[in-house]
Amino acid sequence: MQNENLTYYPLPQPDDLDIREKEDAMGAYFMMFAAMAIGLPLPIVNIIAAAVYLFMDQTKKSRYVRFHALHSLYAQIPVTLLNAGAVTWVLLVFFRDYALTNIFWGYIALVALANLTYFTFSIIAAVKARNGQFFYFLFFGKLAYHLAYRVKEDNKTMVVNQPPKM
Amino acid sequence: MKFEIQHQERYSRGELLLRTFLGFFYILLPHAFLLMFVGLWGAILQFISFWIVLFTGRYPQSFFEFQVGLMKWNLRVNSRLFNLSDGYPAFGVNATDEFTNFEVEYPEKLSRGLLLLRFFFGWIYVILPHGLILMFRMIATNFLVFISWFAVLFTGNYPKSFHEFNVGTLRWNTRVNLYLYFMTDDYPPFTGKE
């Protein structure tokens, strides 16, 4: 993703960051527990919480915190979709008498594995963020880095007011 | 912790009547509606903070400031609902108010042992004793709010001792909440005094 046309802000080193930034960055990964916190087993709650965390007080957030908030938010999307599928399927089994097929059990196993993997890597990322370090998830790491650290070109063109055409 | 609601020299009778008859619509409804969502966010941060304190021994400062801001907002609304202040409470966790003041010192370190003690046994040694006394104190507070309503209506003054007692109830309640929300390690005293 990093090509010659794009420039990026330099990454901060652990000693450059204050404890507040490190803790805020760590907090982003804990948004995966949001649904648990309010007692609603709806996977969408986690993703809403991660988005709220990203956009709340956005002007006060440093690039470091924004990177981790984006990282956490994007990494949650596939797991949330898988979880939403599982919740829907389980509800169909309970209320519409769908059969408990091998495909169902296979899907549940896949969802459990995906959640476990996501949980493990999120904890690793949270610990690293608390220490002022970076940790890049597959694909989402590059994406979050690109969005948080890319130097955006100032495309503002000077507006010149013109008289009406005669 | 600093918790104050200023005792005004004069209270407005017009505002008192307005709050009494329409306060539900123009104070309680809009504030409660927003506080419900902000409170949900507060609950999420609270849950996450528990784990962070457990593993690091520190309450994230920005989470702490948010929770204090949320408590300030509640305080502003409560002070109007209890007729302890005139004026309209400002919206938002970063807003300020001329009549109320609430400050909590940020704790650099929190005890993980106390955190677990509160989590498992908080209901025995905090909620039960404090809750029981606060329940009776709340009844007394409501009674004094009722009497003070007439005092303000006829004299324009809120009896100072009643004001102190009612503010004390809110202060006591806030101290208990701070302790239960893992925001301080100091056990709340059984008093509403400063």
Side-chain angles (χ1 to χ4, degrees):
Chain A
M1 195 169 281
Q2 194 163 1
N3 65 38
E4 289 142 17
N5 300 328
L6 298 172
T7 48
Y8 291 86
Y9 290 103
L11 291 180
Q13 298 310 312
D15 291 340
D16 303 335
L17 299 158
D18 60 33
I19 185 74
R20 191 188 174 109
E21 278 178 282
K22 291 174 183 174
E23 283 177 345
D24 285 354
M26 172 183 62
Y29 294 100
F30 288 109
M31 290 302 139
M32 64 179 162
F33 298 121
M36 215 187 285
I38 56 171
L40 287 173
L42 298 173
I44 194 77
V45 172
N46 292 340
I47 218 155
I48 293 172
V52 169
Y53 195 80
L54 171 67
F55 292 112
M56 208 169 72
D57 286 339
Q58 204 180 13
T59 48
K60 289 186 198 162
K61 282 195 170 80
S62 66
R63 281 181 205 290
Y64 180 72
V65 179
R66 218 160 70 233
F67 164 79
H68 286 287
L70 279 164
H71 202 211
S72 161
L73 174 65
Y74 288 134
Q76 272 190 48
I77 293 171
V79 182
T80 304
L81 290 174
L82 283 170
N83 286 346
V87 169
T88 312
W89 203 336
V90 168
L91 289 175
L92 288 172
V93 167
F94 270 97
F95 297 108
R96 291 281 173 94
D97 291 333
Y98 272 49
L100 291 172
T101 59
N102 283 336
I103 299 174
F104 171 79
W105 290 116
Y107 183 73
I108 295 295
L110 170 78
V111 171
L113 190 68
N115 275 285
L116 194 66
T117 310
Y118 172 70
F119 178 80
T120 309
F121 282 106
S122 284
I123 294 296
I124 294 170
V127 171
K128 292 239 181 200
R130 175 66 161 60
N131 293 330
Q133 298 164 0
F134 283 81
F135 180 77
Y136 303 105
F137 291 151
L138 202 68
F139 179 68
F140 300 112
K142 283 181 185 171
L143 182 65
Y145 170 69
H146 177 74
L147 291 171
Y149 280 95
R150 182 170 54 105
V151 177
K152 288 177 188 137
E153 282 177 31
D154 195 6
N155 287 329
K156 279 182 195 163
T157 48
M158 184 79 101
V159 176
V160 182
N161 290 331
Q162 303 284 354
K165 286 183 179 119
M166 301 296 177
Chain B
M1 186 198 84
K2 203 173 192 177
F3 183 107
E4 289 165 344
I5 299 178
Q6 192 188 316
H7 180 259
Q8 298 165 220
E9 288 289 313
R10 300 287 299 168
Y11 282 82
S12 161
R13 291 158 182 166
E15 280 193 36
L16 178 78
L17 290 171
L18 195 68
R19 269 198 306 271
T20 306
F21 295 112
L22 297 171
F24 176 80
F25 296 104
Y26 84 103
I27 299 179
L28 191 62
L29 265 186
H31 279 279
F33 179 74
L34 292 176
L35 277 168
M36 186 178 70
F37 293 104
V38 182
L40 266 181
W41 183 245
I44 290 171
L45 293 187
Q46 190 56 48
F47 182 81
I48 292 167
S49 301
F50 169 82
W51 295 102
I52 294 177
V53 175
L54 187 65
F55 287 106
T56 68
R58 266 178 62 93
Y59 202 110
Q61 198 169 352
S62 50
F63 290 14
F64 186 88
E65 284 166 6
F66 178 86
Q67 300 289 5
V68 171
L70 181 57
M71 286 179 172
K72 275 185 189 171
W73 189 351
N74 272 310
L75 168 66
R76 285 196 298 272
V77 177
N78 281 332
S79 82
R80 270 66 184 200
L81 295 178
F82 283 66
N83 294 324
L84 294 165
S85 308
D86 280 340
Y88 192 78
F91 289 93
V93 288
N94 296 321
T96 51
D97 188 44
E98 58 177 316
F99 296 120
T100 61
N101 184 22
F102 177 53
E103 286 164 30
V104 191
E105 201 180 325
Y106 174 68
E108 289 296 331
K109 275 277 167 203
L110 287 167
S111 161
R112 298 165 200 200
L114 268 177
L115 177 90
L116 289 173
L117 190 73
R118 261 171 286 182
F119 182 74
F120 289 111
F121 303 108
W123 64 277
I124 298 176
Y125 80 99
V126 187
I127 296 175
L128 266 182
H130 282 279
L132 195 72
I133 299 170
L134 272 171
M135 189 181 71
F136 288 110
R137 191 164 166 141
M138 205 63 209
I139 294 169
T141 296
N142 282 327
F143 180 67
L144 291 185
V145 167
F146 180 73
I147 295 174
S148 306
W149 188 89
F150 289 99
V152 173
L153 186 69
F154 293 117
T155 68
N157 284 317
Y158 201 115
K160 198 155 182 17
S161 55
F162 290 6
H163 189 275
E164 273 171 17
F165 184 86
N166 293 344
V167 172
T169 305
L170 294 176
R171 187 182 289 123
W172 188 337
N173 192 43
T174 306
R175 277 199 196 116
V176 173
N177 284 338
L178 279 175
Y179 188 72
L180 286 175
Y181 293 169
F182 321 115
M183 291 167 75
T184 177
D185 278 346
D186 300 330
Y187 187 77
F190 286 88
T191 176
K193 293 197 172 91
E194 278 283 1

